[in-house]
Amino acid sequence: MAAGFFISKAVGIVGIVLALGAVATIIALSVVYAQEKNKTSSSGGDATTTTTTTTTTTTTTITSLAPNTTAAPNNPWNRWRLPTTLKPEFYDVTLQPFLKPDNNNMYIFKGNSSVTFTCEEATNLIIIHSNKLNYTLQGGFHASLQALNNSKAPTITKTWLETTTQYLVVQLDGPLQKGKSYVLFSIFTGELADDLAGFYRSEYVEGNVTKVVATTQMQAPDARKAFPCFDEPAMKANFTVTLIHPSDHKALSNMPVKSTQEVQIDGNSWNITTFLTTPKMSTYLLAFIVSQFDYVPSQSGEVLIRIWGRPQAIREGQGDYALQVTGPILSFFEQHYNTPYPLPKSDQVALPDFNAGAMENWGLVTYRENSLLFDNGYSSIGNKERVVTVIAHELAHQWFGNLVTLRWWNDLWLNEGFASYVEYLGADSAEPTWNIKDLMVLNEVYTVMATDALTTSHPLSFREEEINTPAEISEVFDSIAYSKGASVLRMLSDFLTEDVFKEGLQSYLNTYAYGNTVYTDLWEHLQKAVNNNNLTLPGNISTIMDRWTLQMGFPVVTVNTLTGRIQQNHFLLDPTSTVERPSDFNYTWIVPITWMTSKTSGSRYWLVQVSDTNSSFKVDSPDWLLLNLNVSGYFRVNYNQENWDQLLQQLSRNHLVIPVINRAQIIDDAFNLARAKYINVTLALNTTQFLSQEREYMPWQAALNNLKYFQLMFDRSEVFGVMKSYIQKQVEPLFKYYKDVTSNWTTVPPVLMDQYNEINAISTACSYGIPECQELATSLFQHWQNTNNNIIHPNLRSAIYCSAVATGGQEAWNFLWDRFLEATVVSEADRIRAALACSTEPWILQRYLQYTIDPTKIRKQDATSTINSIASNVVGQPLAWDFIRSNWKLLFGQYGGGSFSFSRLILSVTQRFSTEFELQQLEQFKADNQDIGFGSGTRALEQALEKTRSNINWVNENKASVLAWFTEHSR
């Protein structure tokens, strides 16, 4: 660990000198910031050079086009990747956020930064990232340069901002010398905008007073919005941060406070807080916050843990659950990685405005409020699971991602996929009675298979040259990276065994601590662990895993139990679609297969060819064969009709003989195989008949997930009437079961999965129109309206609220909207916000859509998810689609197309599309908005087009047989 903190003596002294100068400069800044966006040199428009004449009282700015910023790609400033000529070693960053608007009604921050770098290769150019920063010129230039160790630095001849590629370019009259170190110093101002990126502002109301928080979100390419930096993950350096902030505010950064002093500036009291220097780390993990938040603390060994949030939330105990689980999760990962937590503290902060779910900034993790805060009186078991899994995800990154970092964003899947896998292990360590690891199958494996079965999917690993621009980087943060990454790593850990997997992982982290890697580095260390343990595999790790990471998709494994014949095929939801992306492996995989029969279970079998014969897979009636136990492998399974029949008979006779995860698997595989035309749709529907006897969550959830597709395809047609009757018949026994075990809904089942299935029982029974459920919802809701006392258990509120809004008209909607406006617990606000989309009144939903583009009503971070909720409503879907089309430019402008949620928006509003007319509308939408673009939703748009074509074919081919099946079985 000590090597990560090492700073040479010369660099350290310069850092101290510049830090002292930085404070003096910021306090004495006399730069006029009027007309900030128009007159000073800014990264917000065209490339410019600026000449400024400065006296002690005035600054005159003249802006002109840079003469040599041509778009020729051979100019290094026109390339998206930094040259490798310079290597940063140390940053000293001082920032002063102003938490009140200036005379132009803008929120700004002022700052200065010195970066010490080593010249790796002689060059007369310094190219450093900068975005939307305005610079105070020094001697007519955007920055100043000095050499270390008594060397002489070349003279700056020209500086300019290259806005397209987001660079500050410094041209010199001679080359920097290889092996020498230099310091680049700059003074700048930026907008503390509410755009949720870089150094930004968040707001909340306390006691009718609006409070402003200055906070950060650097990942992926936004540290450059806070200060000029070499903003690539492999450009690791040590950072010393100083924040100048109002004395009645607290300052946080990645490291503990080193010193703080109070000063008077313009009659106001400010604190100058300097933090200890960080270990060597990437720019995207830097964070700083200025707020009036409070915290609750605890200690885990030598590590200080603090949970921060709005003072009212902390007073109400909303940080207590996070505090309770953070210590055990940190301890678990220390043991799992066999490496101590690398920092002295772990701060976790709940932010009112935050674009992602959470961000793993080293030592200062930031969260949406709903991912960190938990209130026993308002939050559901789902909220609790969300908190513990997100905390585990972010803490997993403190080692895997932060201590050891991927070299470039093309390998993001390993970073996020790994954290998405081990979050379940970490959460299980904190909540061992939940069996939460089982939920990976529903939450990750089956969820991402829906996307990965499209020809518009993509491999886990991209080639490095495929990912360059900020938009391309943002697009990589998708469900393939997170959920498929988690699924294949879970499969890898399963066939290696967890102990061998951990041995390789620990070796990898120990070797590359404070450094950068590519995914093959992990394979090498896992291979060493395999060799050390004499584990027999059908090939080395790379040979096996490259097929899962370097080509998209996954196989369906088909077995014939009459002959023992087994084969694999690339599974596509639309078997008529054309795969245009080539694969070096011809879309074949090396597949680890676990199995059992009604009489025995055998050792793992490897399918290494396209087809093979295994005598163990030959079984006679009434015996049956089941492949992929607990869905440990990332593939689907198909059988011959005789084996399907035996499995269905077993489910009908005694479903408990088949493991619970595999009961879910039989349903999910069958429905997807039917969509892909491997089996008849009626066979898939037959897998749901045993559900009237089923009480476990996972099979029910698998069925509801798949019947949701039928609902989307048919809830505008006559099929839905008989489908509704069938689901009522199947869910009524579950509804009555939970009514009994909860003593008429007055107690809560003790087990997590049972609580989830109780929610399913209520939600399904109410939404499919079972009168007793709707009457229950109405009476509970009216009791709340009449008494102002909400007795509905938090677990059931989403379902009850939705049902009440759907049946209660304008009065229920207005009552719930008022409760939304006054909600102080974000999990309650979230469920109300979703339930408001359940209205069946078009005019109410249209008004609600308009609210999503008014940040005074719906926070920016919640806009897209609110539109998604409205689109999931059959009445709201066409309204949402019209809204998206007519407001695309506005939405794209406000949200930039860069957020993870933008792709979900496109997929949500188009999920019901199943007619030629809707396909034409979607194609027209694509054509009409080429000039605006689709940002991180680009691939999602192509997937929506593919899904729509597939839906059209599926409905045409299956509508008649589905109608007949539901008609027969709903009696």
Side-chain angles (χ1 to χ4, degrees):
M1 184 190 288
F5 287 87
F6 177 75
I7 305 167
S8 72
K9 188 174 181 182
V11 171
I13 292 170
V14 168
I16 292 165
V17 171
L18 286 174
L20 294 171
V23 173
T25 305
I26 246 183
I27 293 172
L29 276 177
S30 59
V31 180
V32 175
Y33 197 67
Q35 298 88 39
E36 294 93 345
K37 288 188 169 180
N38 300 323
K39 288 190 176 179
T40 55
S41 60
S42 165
S43 300
D46 295 324
T48 58
T49 53
T50 307
T51 307
T52 301
T53 308
T54 307
T55 69
T56 55
T57 55
T58 62
T59 303
T60 306
T61 307
I62 303 166
T63 304
S64 61
L65 285 176
N68 60 348
T69 57
T70 58
N74 59 328
N75 289 330
W77 52 82
N78 292 127
R79 299 178 195 140
W80 289 101
R81 294 295 301 276
L82 285 168
T84 55
T85 49
L86 307 177
K87 179 185 173 189
E89 303 288 349
F90 178 82
Y91 290 85
D92 203 308
V93 181
T94 300
L95 295 167
Q96 181 181 22
F98 292 83
L99 304 183
K100 295 177 182 175
D102 65 8
N103 294 333
N104 296 302
N105 205 34
M106 282 180 66
Y107 288 86
I108 66 165
F109 64 89
K110 296 178 181 178
N112 59 60
S113 166
S114 65
V115 53
T116 303
F117 60 87
T118 301
C119 179
E120 302 279 290
E121 186 183 326
T123 177
N124 65 348
L125 280 176
I126 300 171
I127 297 177
I128 188 168
H129 284 111
S130 173
N131 186 25
K132 299 183 179 176
L133 295 175
N134 302 277
Y135 288 81
T136 300
L137 302 192
Q138 305 170 60
F141 301 113
H142 292 76
S144 59
L145 181 71
Q146 68 181 88
L148 294 183
N149 301 320
N150 300 317
S151 299
K152 187 174 185 324
T155 302
I156 297 174
T157 58
K158 192 176 297 177
T159 61
W160 72 90
L161 293 164
E162 193 63 49
T163 58
T164 302
T165 43
Q166 302 178 351
Y167 290 135
L168 164 60
V169 186
V170 179
Q171 204 160 50
L172 307 171
D173 71 347
L176 300 167
Q177 294 179 47
K178 182 176 179 179
K180 299 282 187 184
S181 295
Y182 303 86
V183 180
L184 188 74
F185 179 73
S186 57
I187 307 166
F188 49 86
T189 311
E191 184 182 357
L192 197 68
D194 61 350
D195 58 357
L196 313 180
F199 198 17
Y200 73 92
R201 81 175 186 277
S202 174
E203 297 178 358
Y204 64 97
V205 176
E206 190 169 89
N208 295 320
V209 177
T210 298
K211 303 281 189 175
V212 176
V213 178
T215 185
T216 55
Q217 171 60 27
M218 306 306 199
Q219 193 183 47
D222 287 317
R224 65 194 71 170
K225 277 187 69 191
F227 63 101
C229 53
F230 298 93
D231 199 9
E232 292 189 359
M235 295 282 192
K236 287 191 168 185
N238 304 96
F239 296 82
T240 300
V241 173
T242 297
L243 293 175
I244 302 174
H245 56 95
S247 295
D248 59 351
H249 284 60
K250 305 176 185 79
L252 294 171
S253 190
N254 304 77
M255 297 295 287
V257 171
K258 179 183 179 182
S259 66
T260 187
Q261 65 179 108
E262 189 173 338
V263 296
Q264 296 295 310
I265 305 174
D266 296 331
N268 295 311
S269 179
W270 295 77
N271 278 21
I272 301 169
T273 300
T274 299
F275 299 88
L276 294 172
T277 301
T278 71
K280 199 167 276 289
M281 60 182 278
S282 302
T283 49
Y284 80 87
L285 295 167
L286 199 65
F288 22 87
I289 299 173
V290 172
S291 74
Q292 290 184 306
F293 286 170
D294 282 343
Y295 66 91
V296 283
S298 71
Q299 199 80 18
S300 177
E302 298 296 309
V303 181
L304 171 65
I305 297 168
R306 294 181 294 189
I307 310 297
W308 296 80
R310 291 176 291 108
Q312 180 182 352
I314 297 300
R315 275 197 309 273
E316 292 172 352
Q318 293 182 40
D320 294 354
Y321 179 65
L323 192 69
Q324 173 192 320
V325 298
T326 294
I329 292 171
L330 273 178
S331 298
F332 169 80
F333 282 128
E334 286 189 317
Q335 293 166 11
H336 191 77
Y337 297 129
N338 194 28
T339 305
Y341 176 71
L343 300 179
K345 59 121 176 151
S346 176
D347 280 321
Q348 302 189 85
V349 185
L351 294 167
D353 300 282
F354 193 71
N355 200 12
M359 178 62 210
E360 67 268 19
N361 315 301
W362 217 1
L364 181 57
V365 185
T366 47
Y367 296 79
R368 277 194 184 210
E369 287 193 349
N370 65 5
S371 298
L372 187 67
L373 302 182
F374 179 84
D375 186 294
N376 274 315
Y378 288 92
S379 303
S380 69
I381 187 65
N383 299 133
K384 200 172 201 177
E385 188 213 319
R386 170 77 179 166
V387 169
V388 72
T389 52
V390 175
I391 289 174
H393 182 105
E394 304 311 327
L395 294 183
H397 276 310
Q398 304 301 299
W399 291 264
F400 199 103
N402 298 8
L403 180 64
V404 178
T405 310
L406 277 306
R407 189 173 72 194
W408 184 241
W409 302 109
N410 61 306
D411 282 335
L412 174 83
W413 75 270
L414 188 54
N415 195 20
E416 292 300 348
F418 182 86
S420 299
Y421 165 49
V422 298
E423 73 181 55
Y424 289 89
L425 310 186
D428 181 66
S429 73
E431 296 287 1
T433 65
W434 284 8
N435 293 328
I436 196 168
K437 290 189 281 189
D438 292 352
L439 290 179
M440 264 203 79
V441 175
L442 291 174
N443 296 352
E444 314 297 337
V445 181
Y446 287 153
T447 302
V448 76
M449 277 181 166
T451 298
D452 206 21
L454 302 174
T455 59
T456 42
S457 185
H458 64 82
L460 280 169
S461 264
F462 293 92
R463 295 189 311 277
E464 190 167 341
E465 62 271 18
E466 285 184 274
I467 309 300
N468 294 292
T469 69
E472 287 167 349
I473 294 168
S474 294
E475 205 175 356
V476 174
F477 287 78
D478 66 359
S479 62
I480 297 290
Y482 285 73
S483 297
K484 182 177 180 178
S487 301
V488 299
L489 289 169
R490 173 177 175 263
M491 176 175 66
L492 172 60
S493 177
D494 184 73
F495 71 71
L496 290 182
T497 72
E498 190 170 315
D499 286 342
V500 173
F501 186 83
K502 280 198 298 187
E503 183 182 323
L505 174 64
Q506 291 165 4
S507 169
Y508 167 84
L509 289 170
N510 184 58
T511 300
Y512 296 108
Y514 305 102
N516 293 84
T517 61
V518 293
Y519 75 94
T520 51
D521 294 325
L522 179 60
W523 292 173
E524 288 177 13
H525 284 264
L526 290 173
Q527 187 62 51
K528 287 177 187 173
V530 167
N531 298 343
N532 291 344
N533 289 274
N534 298 314
L535 195 63
T536 302
L537 296 173
N540 61 36
I541 295 289
S542 181
T543 301
I544 297 169
M545 293 307 296
D546 282 356
R547 293 168 183 254
W548 297 96
T549 62
L550 300 182
Q551 61 183 352
M552 67 180 184
F554 57 90
V556 52
V557 171
T558 302
V559 62
N560 186 331
T561 57
L562 301 178
T563 63
R565 185 79 173 159
I566 185 167
Q567 69 179 60
Q568 60 168 297
N569 300 90
H570 181 191
F571 182 80
L572 296 169
L573 275 177
D574 180 0
T576 64
S577 57
T578 303
V579 178
E580 294 178 351
R581 185 186 281 267
S583 164
D584 291 341
F585 309 103
N586 294 317
Y587 292 102
T588 61
W589 289 263
I590 297 175
V591 189
I593 299 173
T594 51
W595 59 278
M596 68 180 286
T597 67
S598 55
K599 299 171 182 171
T600 185
S601 59
S603 57
R604 183 179 282 103
Y605 162 78
W606 287 90
L607 180 60
V608 296
Q609 306 296 333
V610 173
S611 62
D612 194 10
T613 300
N614 182 347
S615 59
S616 299
F617 294 167
K618 186 176 177 181
V619 298
D620 298 320
S621 175
D623 199 2
W624 43 259
L625 175 70
L626 188 65
L627 301 190
N628 201 13
L629 303 185
N630 294 324
V631 194
S632 58
Y634 184 68
F635 57 92
R636 294 204 180 277
V637 181
N638 187 21
Y639 304 99
N640 53 309
Q641 184 66 46
E642 291 81 359
N643 198 62
W644 277 115
D645 290 342
Q646 294 305 325
L647 287 169
L648 291 175
Q649 286 179 31
Q650 181 64 69
L651 288 172
S652 177
R653 279 195 314 274
N654 179 7
H655 59 282
L656 299 177
V657 171
I658 294 175
V660 63
I661 296 178
N662 289 98
R663 302 204 294 276
Q665 174 213 17
I666 287 169
I667 295 169
D668 203 83
D669 278 354
F671 273 91
N672 282 276
L673 289 165
R675 282 183 66 183
K677 302 178 188 175
Y678 281 90
I679 62 174
N680 194 293
V681 69
T682 55
L683 170 53
L685 289 167
N686 284 335
T687 66
T688 67
Q689 290 197 74
F690 82 98
L691 288 175
S692 57
Q693 309 301 318
E694 178 66 82
R695 301 295 176 261
E696 289 283 351
Y697 167 70
M698 291 189 68
W700 262 105
Q701 190 60 43
L704 292 172
N705 288 345
N706 284 286
L707 288 167
K708 174 75 172 173
Y709 178 72
F710 282 65
Q711 179 189 344
L712 291 170
M713 292 303 98
F714 295 127
D715 63 5
R716 299 174 290 175
S717 79
E718 74 273 24
V719 174
F720 195 61
V722 285
M723 176 180 171
K724 191 173 170 182
S725 298
Y726 173 73
I727 292 179
Q728 285 178 347
K729 187 174 83 167
Q730 293 301 87
V731 80
E732 200 152 11
L734 189 71
F735 180 79
K736 288 181 175 169
Y737 168 78
Y738 278 107
K739 180 183 177 183
D740 290 342
V741 300
T742 62
S743 304
N744 201 21
W745 317 107
T746 58
T747 62
V748 179
V751 179
L752 173 88
M753 300 288 188
D754 285 343
Q755 290 185 48
Y756 278 165
N757 220 25
E758 181 197 15
I759 295 165
N760 274 341
I762 291 257
S763 176
T764 308
C766 281
S767 62
Y768 278 91
I770 289 181
E772 186 182 349
C773 186
Q774 292 186 332
E775 289 160 12
L776 171 71
T778 300
S779 67
L780 289 170
F781 194 79
Q782 286 178 345
H783 178 273
W784 184 21
Q785 285 179 292
N786 296 335
T787 66
N788 212 25
N789 176 26
N790 188 350
I791 61 172
I792 307 164
H793 190 275
N795 283 1
L796 305 182
R797 287 183 182 180
S798 289
I800 300 293
Y801 291 176
C802 182
S803 182
V805 168
T807 58
Q810 183 180 359
E811 182 189 355
W813 200 96
N814 289 343
F815 173 79
L816 210 53
W817 175 253
D818 290 340
R819 302 293 80 74
F820 172 74
L821 295 177
E822 66 188 26
T824 58
V825 178
V826 72
S827 55
E828 178 74 354
D830 283 346
R831 73 170 62 93
I832 293 175
R833 185 168 52 79
L836 290 167
C838 296
S839 174
T840 55
E841 299 278 358
W843 71 269
I844 289 178
L845 294 173
Q846 188 64 51
R847 181 181 67 181
Y848 197 23
L849 282 165
Q850 292 299 323
Y851 286 3
T852 65
I853 50 177
D854 179 354
T856 65
K857 291 185 168 67
I858 301 292
R859 286 183 181 273
K860 278 189 173 185
Q861 66 174 17
D862 297 324
T864 54
S865 64
T866 306
I867 298 169
N868 294 349
S869 295
I870 295 168
S872 69
N873 177 343
V874 66
V875 179
Q877 188 273 325
L879 303 175
W881 173 231
D882 289 345
F883 179 78
I884 290 293
R885 287 188 293 171
S886 58
N887 291 282
W888 184 254
K889 187 171 185 178
L890 171 68
L891 289 164
F892 197 83
Q894 275 201 4
Y895 306 107
S899 85
F900 190 16
S901 58
F902 224 72
S903 57
R904 291 178 185 159
L905 180 66
I906 290 174
L907 294 172
S908 292
V909 296
T910 61
Q911 63 184 339
R912 272 187 178 81
F913 283 10
S914 56
T915 66
E916 290 289 349
F917 179 65
E918 286 165 332
L919 177 60
Q920 289 169 15
Q921 285 186 320
L922 191 52
E923 288 170 335
Q924 190 63 49
F925 171 69
K926 178 183 176 182
D928 290 346
N929 292 287
Q930 287 297 328
D931 57 330
I932 300 168
F934 304 96
S936 64
T938 304
R939 184 177 288 112
L941 180 60
E942 295 306 317
Q943 291 169 349
L945 285 162
E946 183 180 353
K947 284 182 176 179
T948 301
R949 294 186 189 102
S950 176
N951 291 346
I952 291 168
N953 294 334
W954 188 87
V955 169
N956 288 340
E957 292 166 8
N958 292 288
K959 184 177 180 181
S961 54
V962 169
L963 177 61
W965 191 94
F966 278 128
T967 301
E968 178 187 347
H969 291 87
S970 61
R971 298 190 184 106

